[in-house]
Amino acid sequence: MPNGGSDCCGTCWFNTANEGDPDYRKGPPPDEVRCTIRSLEIETPFWTYCANHPHHNPARVEVPIGPVYVTDGYPYTRRVLEQSPDTEEIRAGLLDLLGHMEEVPNAEYPTPTELDEEVIKQLMEFREKRAAPTLRTIIHFDPLAAPDGDNPFGQNRVTTVALAVEALVCIEGDSALDEVETALRCGLSRDAVTPDVSGGILSRIRQWWLRKQANPDDQAEDPMAAIRYHAVLGLKHCGSDRARILLREATNDPHPEVAMLARRVLTTKEADT
Ligand code: SF4
């Protein structure tokens, strides 16, 4: 199996060569391999991926979930090969999946192409306004919620919450700045003196963070940085003075990548005015 991940078309039940089985075909491959749900010819099945693969989608949802990705070089990163089509049926399917997301994640095969995250990213790409109320719910998930039972891959909801923040701001712009402001404080010790306007999430994060920050200089101990990072990404879509103030504050973020991103976004905004 190639090292790009076993969640590839080669092992997908939507690959015509596999005739509906979640395994790869033994014997010579057919002349043409196609994805049955995307009307797409797959040239390199063992290096091509999407979130509809059975590793991510055991319910066998047939609505295309996000783009198709390919890995075509080392290191084994995934780049978009084919964007998702955009139809009302697909949007409705993604909204349905979004509405069924639960705070406790599944113990899913860990790759850059996980189902819930691809749903949120695609709705963000579509600027789908109907997603906003559910994104607000997801923002209040406990980022550290873990799958029941064994959690061999150490999964939690940090990335899901981070993407939900970015998607909400991308869709609503300055109307989502309250949520951005809350997200920009996730995991920071100054939360301890800042009013919690988050409906409780900050209190939960704060409790955890204050336990963990015995070594505040250890960046590896800053899991909430991903939420702050995506909140800064979301600020690209805001044009108000308040957004600029938040960006300036974020340039002082203790995580160097968050601070650097905030400086880049701020510089771009100032060059545009
Ligand atoms: S594109 Fe996705 S759904 Fe289609 S065969 Fe490949 S992994 Fe399966």
Side-chain angles (χ1 to χ4, degrees), residues 235-258:
L235 284 170
K236 286 181 179 176
H237 306 281
C238 301
S240 66
D241 289 343
R242 184 182 172 197
R244 281 169 200 263
I245 290 168
L246 291 174
L247 270 174
R248 282 195 198 98
E249 285 179 15
T251 62
N252 295 316
D253 192 283
H255 196 292
E257 289 184 37
V258 179

Side-chain angles (χ1 to χ4, degrees), residues 95 97-101 129-141 164 168:
L95 288 167
L97 289 167
L98 187 77
H100 284 89
M101 278 181 206
K129 292 189 186 319
R130 290 171 290 178
T134 312
L135 290 171
R136 281 199 161 81
T137 301
I138 292 169
I139 284 170
H140 289 85
F141 282 179
L168 182 67

